Amino acid sequence: MLDSAMGIEYLHHGHITPIVHCDLKPANILLDDDMVAHVGDFGISKILAVSKFMEYTETLGTLGYITPEYGSEGIVSPSGDVYSYGIMLMEVVTKRRQTDEERCNENLDLRKWITQSFLVTMMDVVDVNL
């Protein structure tokens, strides 16, 4: 997760014009032979050349990993990539997929499920192997 965070940091701050990936999800984080993570698949990424903070678009990413404002209003910003990274990090910590059928049947996404777990105990959410 640290390697992919550094890759996202490079996209957002490593150039004069920020690049927003727009579709961060586990399938777009690739591991090399040394198990170093690399961000891949820039098919719908956006270069924020005009405002450098946000852009409007009709291109969508993967449901479950995009921010609510991106999905409903088409707002693209580096914050959206941070949100997607957070969802992936929650998947790693809980050892559960964003699309687990058990939670989907209860109309809960991973973020809502974890938020509700704060009311009980977080240790029931975290993967026992951690």
Side-chain angles (χ1 to χ4, degrees):
M1 291 305 293
L2 291 176
D3 294 331
S4 56
M6 289 189 304
I8 296 163
E9 176 76 14
Y10 178 75
L11 291 175
H12 294 172
H13 302 288
H15 304 280
I16 295 171
T17 54
I19 299 171
V20 181
H21 189 278
C22 298
D23 197 23
L24 284 174
K25 59 185 177 183
N28 290 339
I29 305 296
L30 310 172
L31 298 175
D32 65 16
D33 292 336
D34 297 320
M35 298 300 285
V36 175
H38 301 274
V39 179
D41 191 359
F42 292 87
I44 64 170
S45 63
K46 304 290 180 204
I47 298 173
L48 302 182
V50 178
S51 75
K52 295 191 179 186
F53 297 108
M54 84 168 96
E55 180 179 306
Y56 293 92
T57 185
E58 292 182 14
T59 306
L60 291 179
T62 303
L63 291 176
Y65 296 95
I66 59 174
T67 63
E69 60 270 14
Y70 178 34
S72 63
E73 301 170 21
I75 298 173
V76 175
S77 72
S79 298
D81 284 350
V82 174
Y83 178 90
S84 300
Y85 175 81
I87 296 293
M88 291 189 306
L89 187 59
M90 285 188 270
E91 287 181 320
V92 168
V93 170
T94 61
K95 198 176 177 182
R96 293 176 182 257
R97 301 278 305 174
Q98 172 67 3
T99 55
D100 271 355
E101 285 185 35
E102 178 184 323
R103 281 190 329 280
C104 289
N105 290 339
E106 298 174 17
N107 291 326
L108 291 174
D109 61 20
L110 185 62
R111 186 181 57 81
K112 289 178 187 173
W113 180 69
I114 290 174
T115 302
Q116 286 183 358
S117 297
F118 279 125
L119 301 173
V120 184
T121 175
M122 276 307 291
M123 295 314 292
D124 291 339
V125 175
V126 176
D127 177 22
V128 295
N129 295 317
L130 289 178

